[in-house]
Amino acid sequence: MKMTKLNEEEIAYKLERAAGWSREDVNWIVKTFRFDAYMEGIQFVQEIARISERELNHHPLIAIDYKLVRLRLTSWRAGGLTDLDFAAASRYDAVFNGQRDLS
């Protein structure tokens, strides 16, 4: 996976395809996921943590606010957004969509 900082044009292109993700200043993308119950959000966070550690070796900032889970992504080593951030975002969306289909 490319760990080179993306330019503004690349970021804009990728954001157009990252449903629900938005830019938070120059270095972050962010998305808030809404759940029907607190424990659904906790289960989502547990799966995100497992994927982040075992598969991606890339870790989001996670905030849990009752039925909301907010994820923020950046690549510290690259000094901003990289392909890995958008790959992680896509993976987390897939987890959310799969989890919601099961409920």
Side-chain angles (χ1 to χ4, degrees):
M1 185 71 50
K2 180 180 165 189
M3 280 298 289
T4 303
K5 185 176 172 180
L6 299 171
N7 65 41
E8 290 300 318
E9 186 176 299
E10 292 169 318
I11 292 168
Y13 177 81
K14 290 178 180 293
L15 266 178
E16 287 177 11
R17 285 145 185 79
W21 289 87
S22 61
R23 191 84 177 270
E24 186 176 85
D25 72 44
V26 297
N27 291 322
W28 297 89
I29 56 172
V30 61
K31 184 173 183 177
T32 300
F33 297 85
R34 181 178 300 276
F35 296 88
D36 294 331
Y38 174 74
M39 288 308 296
E40 287 180 18
I42 296 301
Q43 292 169 349
F44 174 72
V45 168
Q46 288 175 326
E47 183 63 12
I48 293 305
R50 186 192 66 72
I51 290 166
S52 298
E53 183 69 15
R54 294 182 185 163
E55 297 176 22
L56 300 172
N57 191 30
H58 192 58
H59 305 84
L61 293 182
I62 302 171
I64 303 168
D65 186 8
Y66 187 43
K67 296 180 185 180
L68 303 175
V69 175
R70 184 173 188 251
L71 302 180
R72 293 175 67 215
L73 289 163
T74 194
S75 294
W76 296 101
R77 288 177 285 170
L81 294 165
T82 68
D83 283 335
L84 185 55
D85 297 302
F86 288 94
S90 177
R91 187 71 170 91
Y92 302 152
D93 283 342
V95 170
F96 177 76
N97 292 330
Q99 185 171 3
R100 302 297 290 174
D101 289 344
L102 296 175
S103 60

